[in-house]
Amino acid sequence: MSEPVYAAIEAGGTKFVCAIGTADGTLRERARFATRDPESTLAEALAFFEAAAQRHGRPRALGIASFGPLELDPYAPLYGRLLRTPKAGWHDVDLIAPFARLGIPVALDTDVNAAAFAESIWGAGRHADGTPLDTLIYITVGTGIGGGVVVHGRTLRGMMHPELGHLFPRRHPDDLGFAGVCPHHGDCLEGLANGPAIVARLGHELGNATPDHPIWDIEADYLGQLCAQVTLAISPQRIILGGGVMQHARLFPLIRARTRHWLGGYIARHQVEAGIDDYIVAPGLDDRSGILGALRMAVDTGRQQRDTAVDTGESLP
Ligand code: ZN
């Protein structure tokens, strides 16, 4: 029998990534296209999987890692839908129903929870011997700021899912005149530290800011506050920072210094003192954490389904 394959989607605000892969994290085929209106975008994803099934065999399950906010409570009537997203036309869109035609189980989580999950299994969220860390946070800083959390090998979900980007930082003294860009809160973390907030202050694109521009000290201070606050709230074993803004090379050392500043010596642990270079780190999977997280969700869901089928004596396909 050929090796089982699984389907994965990383649904982003600007692009969709669809892939077919195997349980070890190998992507057999991948497609990338622009996020347009929900109907045509989801139809293009479905068409990819139907065509890919001809080449690789029918996938056992589908994992969807999506931008949010999402209804993730399987008992809620709106399960699988996007909630109050600012992405035009996508509010209330059902992300699961369009894939019913594939006839396979579907797992859904946020893109950042999925990224945290993949990093814990294959990336920078592991011990030196390769085993997953028990508690890990993945934060992306780009057009938005989002955070995913893995606790005890599972992504953190509750009433909804973590929304770490909308925590409130203390204002930097040199940044008091800026109102922030979050449509809900103004000067929450996302409103002060996402890509558009930097551009709004600079008046030009991010890439044109000189390395010693004071904006980076302000940016690092806010992200340092975020790292300090999630350290206090969740006590992760590591924090991974990804996303477009984090490509700016100077940020990591500045953020580590500001994290220590805001922790004020209270967390007397090696990880946040001499060992902080190994506590706040870049992703190990580059920009593949989201799609690999979706793949791994599909693998786990496919296996669960089969275990349940065996327990109840149902015949397997
Ligand atoms: Zn906000």
Side-chain angles (χ1 to χ4, degrees):
M1 200 177 114
S2 62
E3 194 178 359
V5 293
Y6 299 87
I9 298 177
E10 183 185 7
T14 54
K15 70 174 184 341
F16 259 57
V17 181
C18 296
I20 293 281
T22 48
D24 61 356
T26 305
L27 297 178
R28 291 258 178 98
E29 188 175 345
R30 183 162 36 162
R32 197 183 296 246
F33 48 89
T35 307
R36 306 175 304 272
D37 64 284
E39 293 73 24
S40 68
T41 308
L42 294 169
E44 185 167 355
L46 178 64
F48 167 82
F49 291 120
E50 288 182 328
Q54 303 295 319
R55 293 185 286 274
H56 305 282
R58 180 172 174 240
R60 288 211 174 149
L62 166 65
I64 304 175
S66 176
F67 66 99
L70 296 170
E71 178 56 85
L72 294 179
D73 176 0
Y75 296 100
L78 297 181
Y79 173 64
R81 287 177 191 255
L82 277 158
L83 301 175
R84 190 172 299 202
T85 175
K87 175 82 182 157
W90 284 80
H91 171 72
D92 210 31
V93 165
D94 191 331
L95 291 172
I96 294 178
F99 299 100
R101 240 168 62 190
L102 296 174
I104 54 177
V106 179
L108 176 69
D109 211 330
T110 62
D111 45 6
V112 278
N113 260 352
F117 193 40
E119 288 287 340
S120 77
I121 293 161
W122 294 308
R126 296 179 295 168
H127 293 283
D129 69 359
T131 56
L133 295 173
D134 193 48
T135 302
L136 173 74
I137 296 183
Y138 176 96
I139 294 168
T140 180
V141 187
T143 312
I145 296 181
V149 184
V150 167
V151 181
H152 308 319
R154 301 180 63 157
T155 60
L156 185 61
R157 302 153 71 141
M159 175 192 71
M160 225 169 86
H161 44 77
E163 283 283 2
L164 303 180
H166 298 272
L167 290 170
F168 292 92
R170 201 176 282 183
R171 294 299 294 263
H172 189 283
D174 297 337
D175 191 41
L176 298 176
F178 181 61
V181 300
C182 175
H184 297 282
H185 314 113
D187 62 351
C188 67
L189 252 152
E190 179 169 297
L192 290 172
N194 68 359
I198 301 174
V199 171
R201 293 195 201 75
L202 288 173
H204 56 74
E205 284 305 308
L206 225 61
N208 299 337
T210 54
D212 57 351
H213 195 289
I215 190 71
W216 299 118
D217 293 306
I218 294 171
E219 179 73 8
D221 181 60
Y222 290 138
L223 295 176
Q225 292 190 53
L226 177 58
C227 290
Q229 289 181 357
V230 297
T231 296
L232 295 167
I234 296 175
S235 200
Q237 288 158 302
R238 191 165 291 148
I239 298 171
I240 297 173
L241 298 179
V245 172
M246 290 309 303
Q247 303 308 310
H248 186 78
R250 234 187 116 218
L251 272 176
F252 271 102
L254 291 175
I255 292 169
R256 291 181 187 122
R258 294 312 287 171
T259 302
R260 290 182 62 180
H261 166 85
W262 287 107
L263 288 172
Y266 178 68
I267 306 292
R269 303 292 293 191
H270 172 75
Q271 287 93 327
V272 294
E273 292 180 349
I276 199 162
D277 287 0
D278 194 39
Y279 180 66
I280 298 174
V281 303
L285 300 169
D286 302 317
D287 60 352
R288 292 174 304 142
S289 350
I291 192 69
L292 287 173
L295 176 66
R296 182 62 189 217
M297 284 153 50
V299 172
D300 288 357
T301 299
R303 284 178 177 163
Q304 265 167 24
Q305 189 91 350
R306 290 176 79 79
D307 290 349
T308 311
V310 170
D311 287 348
T312 56
E314 287 172 36
S315 62
L316 296 170

